[in-house]
Amino acid sequence: MDERMRRWRLVLGGGDADGTGCALGAGDGQMDAALGALYDGDGQERSAGLGASAPRVARWLGDIRGYFPATVVQVMQKDAIERLNLTRLLLEPEMLEAVEPDVHLVGTLLALNKVMPDKARESARALVRRVVAELERRLSQKTRAAVTGALDRSARTNRPRRTADIDWDRTIRANLKNYLPEQNTVVPERLVGYARKQRSVQREVVLCIDQSGSMAASVVYSSVFGAVLASMRSLKTSLVVFDTAVVDLTDQLHDPVELLFGTQLGGGTDINRAIAYSQGLITRPNDSIFILISDLYEGGVRQEMLRRVAAMTQAGVQVIVLLALSDEGAPFYDHDNAAALAALGVPAFACTPDAFPDLMAAAIERRDVGQWAERYAKEPGGTV
């Protein structure tokens, strides 16, 4: 069978009208049945589909993991939850053991956290821990390198107070033009050193995260990044989540899994109240970075929210607004509030997890985050 026609046959699903005229072998037939159980018809439950049986769905999940790569399986799982209303079945332990763990599934489980029976809770925690461990493995090294490098660059000085603060390698490089060959020495006309040795904490970072349903993936990634940043002694990191109430989860940053289970996805939004609380966490405005992660649909007092942001920027706080911290681009968001923030010099844009370490480096060095966002948007996969 021609490979192109085979693929078209699997995409179109068969029947007299598909135009391929192709018959499938046994292996392809089973793959086609797995696709048809999800995508044939209008997504309603049918006798030939997945039905509402946890064992049947668990077998189907096992089948697709054998037929397709993990990235495709994750898409099919997400579609199954949305099209066939399988949310209730995710509370079954055998379902949780059959699925392919990913960020979207974690978001769904967190939204179900309060109604999850005890028998499913441990399976859910194990799944969430697997996803968090993989994210930490993927993101922590780049984050540490970017943040440490930015702190070093921002802390350099040409007037180090002590010999111990001199960066001899950079000092020599900066003064090579003053090399005296007859004396085989370099005259250090300009010293390069570190002011950072004067204090251990160089920056305060406050992550303020919207818990509304559309922000699920952002909550997961933010928790992981928060844990990584909190482990760095040069940063004082706080993490706040909010809907209509505000919850400070800073004391759980050492364990991002426990932190995630302390969130409650869904509900209303009071950004003004969250910003008001976050202001109280900032003790050194000129050395602080405030990151609001929200779709900006404000259920609180809009003008007061904007006034607070303006006050923070005027006090010297580096304010950043992310519409999303995920691989999915910007969700639906309030364009009027985004425009009002931009008028205050605070652009709002979506950021992928892979770009977040570079964003943090730009903020630490007090570069223009708006210009960084514009350059980032032009890169492959970038979005603003």
Side-chain angles (χ1 to χ4, degrees):
M1 182 191 305
D2 180 82
E3 178 63 17
R4 287 186 61 202
M5 295 304 293
R6 169 183 170 271
R7 289 176 178 270
W8 274 114
R9 164 62 185 81
L10 288 168
V11 169
L12 295 173
D16 295 337
D18 75 1
T20 64
C22 294
L24 298 175
D28 283 346
Q30 293 171 355
M31 183 187 300
D32 187 57
L35 290 166
L38 175 58
Y39 296 114
D40 283 354
D42 59 2
Q44 300 299 314
E45 292 179 3
R46 300 176 296 117
S47 59
L50 291 177
S53 162
R56 177 183 289 184
V57 176
R59 285 195 299 271
W60 177 81
L61 288 166
D63 288 343
I64 65 174
R65 292 174 75 176
Y67 298 144
F68 306 104
T71 52
V72 176
V73 171
Q74 291 169 8
V75 173
M76 294 180 70
Q77 287 178 172
K78 185 171 183 287
D79 288 347
I81 293 169
E82 294 174 353
R83 290 169 60 89
L84 302 177
N85 193 26
L86 300 182
T87 301
R88 180 178 59 82
L89 296 184
L90 283 176
L91 302 180
E92 298 290 335
E94 64 181 304
M95 277 280 288
L96 293 174
E97 292 168 3
V99 293
E100 184 74 28
D102 72 329
V103 169
H104 301 293
L105 188 58
V106 168
T108 301
L109 291 176
L110 296 178
L112 296 171
N113 180 31
K114 300 303 181 184
V115 298
M116 190 176 293
D118 292 340
K119 66 178 183 178
R121 195 173 300 277
E122 286 307 310
S123 296
R125 284 181 180 274
L127 186 150
V128 172
R129 195 169 293 281
R130 286 169 61 188
V131 173
V132 167
E134 172 59 24
L135 292 177
E136 287 184 313
R137 184 197 63 77
R138 169 186 147 199
L139 301 170
S140 63
Q141 184 174 355
K142 182 178 179 181
T143 303
R144 289 175 181 276
V147 169
T148 301
L151 288 169
D152 286 349
R153 288 189 294 273
S154 65
R156 285 178 197 151
T157 177
N158 290 328
R159 300 178 63 183
R161 296 186 177 184
R162 302 177 301 166
T163 303
D165 293 340
I166 298 174
D167 184 336
W168 288 108
D169 181 65
R170 294 187 179 277
T171 295
I172 292 171
R173 290 174 183 272
N175 291 278
L176 285 176
K177 63 180 180 180
N178 300 324
Y179 177 64
L180 302 178
E182 64 277 9
Q183 298 184 28
N184 194 30
T185 190
V186 171
V187 177
E189 182 179 72
R190 180 168 69 90
L191 298 176
V192 179
Y194 300 107
R196 65 187 178 95
K197 293 182 182 288
Q198 298 172 23
R199 61 188 182 204
S200 58
V201 175
Q202 295 176 251
R203 294 288 189 277
E204 295 182 354
V205 179
V206 178
L207 294 170
C208 187
I209 310 166
D210 187 339
Q211 294 186 106
S212 59
S214 64
M215 305 301 294
S218 298
V219 171
V220 177
Y221 282 116
S222 300
S223 299
V224 173
F225 278 119
V228 174
L229 296 175
S231 69
M232 304 181 68
R233 294 177 60 186
S234 297
L235 302 177
K236 177 187 176 185
T237 303
S238 302
L239 188 142
V240 174
V241 297
F242 67 93
D243 41 35
T244 53
V246 180
V247 180
D248 190 332
L249 296 176
T250 302
D251 61 350
Q252 296 182 32
L253 278 170
H254 65 283
D255 187 343
V257 175
E258 289 301 315
L259 188 154
L260 284 169
F261 276 94
T263 64
Q264 178 59 59
L265 293 175
T269 309
D270 192 335
I271 303 174
N272 177 53
R273 177 178 291 186
I275 294 176
Y277 179 86
S278 299
Q279 282 180 295
L281 299 176
I282 295 172
T283 61
R284 301 204 315 250
N286 287 318
D287 294 323
S288 295
I289 302 167
F290 173 69
I291 303 175
L292 172 66
I293 304 174
S294 173
D295 56 15
L296 297 179
Y297 285 106
E298 171 64 313
V301 184
R302 177 179 185 268
Q303 289 303 318
E304 184 72 6
M305 174 193 75
L306 296 174
R307 187 192 67 77
R308 290 185 186 281
V309 171
M312 291 174 77
T313 59
Q314 290 168 8
V317 178
Q318 182 87 325
V319 179
I320 300 169
V321 175
L322 299 182
L323 302 170
L325 179 56
S326 72
D327 291 308
E328 301 175 294
F332 291 108
Y333 65 94
D334 190 310
H335 291 262
D336 290 338
N337 281 337
L341 289 168
L344 297 175
V346 181
F349 54 94
C351 179
T352 66
D354 286 336
F356 185 75
D358 293 333
L359 170 63
M360 283 299 303
I364 287 170
E365 295 177 30
R366 301 197 72 85
R367 286 185 266 145
D368 189 316
V369 173
Q371 292 182 4
W372 179 92
E374 290 178 5
R375 290 195 299 272
Y376 164 62
K378 297 175 183 177
E379 298 176 359
T383 180
V384 171

